[in-house]
Amino acid sequence: MKKTTISAIIFLFIFGFLAACGTEDTTEKAPDDGTETKSGGVLERMEESGKLNVAFEGTYPPFNFIDDKDEFQGFDVDISNELAERLGVEANFIATKWDGLIGGLKADKFDIIIGQMTVTEERQKSVDFTDPYVITGSVLVTREDTDDITKLEDIKGKKVGVGGGTTFEEVANSVDGAEVKLYKAVGDYIQDLTNKRLDAIINDQLLISYNIKEQGLPIKISSDILNKDEIGMAVNKGNEDFIEKVNMALSEMKEDGTYAEIYKKWFGTEPLES
C-alpha cells in the first residue's frame, strides 16, 4: 500500500473520531428535550418521563458513534432502542467522555450506561451491572509486517498502546517489561501504531475487526483472544427492580432472535456464548 494511501486512510479514520468527539464543550450532549433526571429510583423515573436516558462515549464505532447526519448509530444504539421499546419508553442518548461515565451515572445524569463497559470487581464496588449483553475479548494488534508479536508475553520490551482506564491497560501492565503508553482515543494509538511509534496495541477484537474491514487499515490481529470480557449495562446501586426488568427484556431479545439479528448486522457473525 502506498504511503499516500495509508495517510489518507488514517486521516479519514481519525477524522471520523474527531467528528464524533466534537470540541471540549460539546463532547457531552445533555438531553435537549427538557428531560432531566431527578431523585427516586431509576424505574420510577423512567416510567414517569417515558424515556430511558442511555450514556456511552459516542466515539466508539461500531458500538456507538455519530454518523454523517449527526445521528447516533451502532450496536449499542440498536440494543438500547430495542430495550427501550420493550420497556415501553423511548431511548434518549447522552454522549460522555469515558472517564466521566461512572461519575455521571452516580450523579444521576443518566439512567444506564450501555457503552461496552467490562464487568470488573473494581467497578462493581461503585455500580451494579445487568446480565452481560456482549461476550468479547482483547487481542494484540500489530502492523501487517510484524511477525514476532503473537502472544501476550511477546510485548515484553515493546511499546504498547492502550486506552487509559480500560481493561486493556490492565492486560498490558500484567507483562513485566512492557512499555505501556496510555491514550484517550483509540484512533490516536492506531495512528501511532501505523506510524511505527508503537510496536503493538491491545483492544477489543470486534472493534478492531470492524475497523480493519471498514477502513482498510494496514494492521492485523496477531493473537488469539487474550482474555474474555463480559460486557454489562451499568446502573446505580439500589435499583434491583429496574435491573430485573432490563435483564428480562434482554433475555427475551436473545430468545426471540432479535439480539442475534442486531449482532450479525454489525459484526457479521454469531454472538459468542458466555
Side-chain angles (χ1 to χ4, degrees):
M1 185 176 293
K2 294 183 179 179
K3 183 176 181 181
T4 53
T5 303
I6 294 174
S7 299
I9 291 171
I10 297 301
F11 173 80
L12 289 173
F13 184 84
I14 301 303
F15 178 79
F17 274 88
L18 293 175
C21 289
T23 65
E24 181 72 13
D25 292 331
T26 59
T27 299
E28 179 170 343
K29 292 191 174 183
D32 57 6
D33 56 2
T35 300
E36 294 183 0
T37 58
K38 57 184 180 181
S39 61
V42 173
L43 182 60
E44 177 185 358
R45 203 164 61 207
M46 178 190 71
E47 291 175 344
E48 288 182 354
S49 68
K51 292 185 180 296
L52 176 65
N53 294 310
V54 178
F56 44 49
E57 280 186 284
T59 61
Y60 201 53
F63 300 105
N64 52 80
F65 61 98
I66 301 174
D67 65 14
D68 55 7
K69 297 180 181 178
D70 201 32
E71 296 177 350
F72 287 114
Q73 299 289 348
F75 174 78
D76 292 334
V77 175
D78 286 354
I79 290 292
S80 298
N81 281 326
E82 181 67 26
L83 175 63
E85 182 176 344
R86 290 173 187 251
L87 294 174
V89 295
E90 178 183 351
N92 181 58
F93 299 109
I94 304 166
T96 301
K97 291 180 179 179
W98 176 262
D99 57 8
L101 282 170
I102 288 182
L105 182 69
K106 292 172 70 66
D108 280 334
K109 291 184 178 180
F110 27 81
D111 302 322
I112 190 170
I113 298 170
I114 306 180
Q116 298 306 299
M117 185 168 284
T118 301
V119 179
T120 66
E121 290 184 4
E122 187 63 28
R123 287 172 180 156
Q124 286 175 316
K125 296 176 183 178
S126 299
V127 299
D128 286 335
F129 285 94
T130 65
D131 293 339
Y133 76 105
V134 179
I135 304 296
T136 185
S138 58
V139 290
L140 289 169
V141 183
T142 63
R143 290 182 295 278
E144 290 179 332
D145 59 357
T146 299
D147 297 319
D148 61 345
I149 303 176
T150 60
K151 52 188 182 298
L152 188 58
E153 53 264 39
D154 291 339
I155 68 173
K156 181 178 181 179
K158 305 292 186 180
K159 296 178 180 178
V160 184
V162 295
T166 66
T167 54
F168 310 129
E169 179 184 353
E170 297 174 13
V171 172
N173 283 327
S174 71
V175 178
D176 291 337
E179 186 178 338
V180 181
K181 297 187 65 177
L182 305 183
Y183 293 79
K184 291 185 177 181
V186 64
D188 292 341
Y189 53 96
I190 287 178
Q191 183 180 37
D192 277 0
L193 175 63
T194 59
N195 289 336
K196 300 186 178 181
R197 288 190 284 267
L198 294 171
D199 299 305
I201 64 175
I202 299 176
N203 208 293
D204 177 76
Q205 55 106 5
L206 290 175
L207 178 139
I208 292 297
S209 296
Y210 173 86
N211 281 299
I212 288 175
K213 180 184 71 173
E214 293 295 312
Q215 305 294 334
L217 299 173
I219 59 178
K220 65 181 180 181
I221 292 175
S222 62
S223 73
D224 294 330
I225 289 179
L226 304 176
N227 65 310
K228 188 165 71 171
D229 290 330
E230 293 188 343
I231 311 299
M233 305 175 186
V235 180
N236 245 337
K237 286 187 175 295
N239 289 283
E240 291 80 5
D241 53 351
F242 174 69
I243 290 176
E244 183 179 354
K245 282 189 173 291
V246 171
N247 283 339
M248 187 179 300
L250 181 59
S251 177
E252 291 172 354
M253 288 167 58
K254 291 181 176 181
E255 288 176 1
D256 66 22
T258 305
Y259 176 87
E261 289 179 6
I262 295 173
Y263 192 97
K264 285 186 281 189
K265 168 186 173 181
W266 290 101
F267 308 121
T269 186
E270 292 289 338
L272 291 177
E273 296 297 331
S274 57

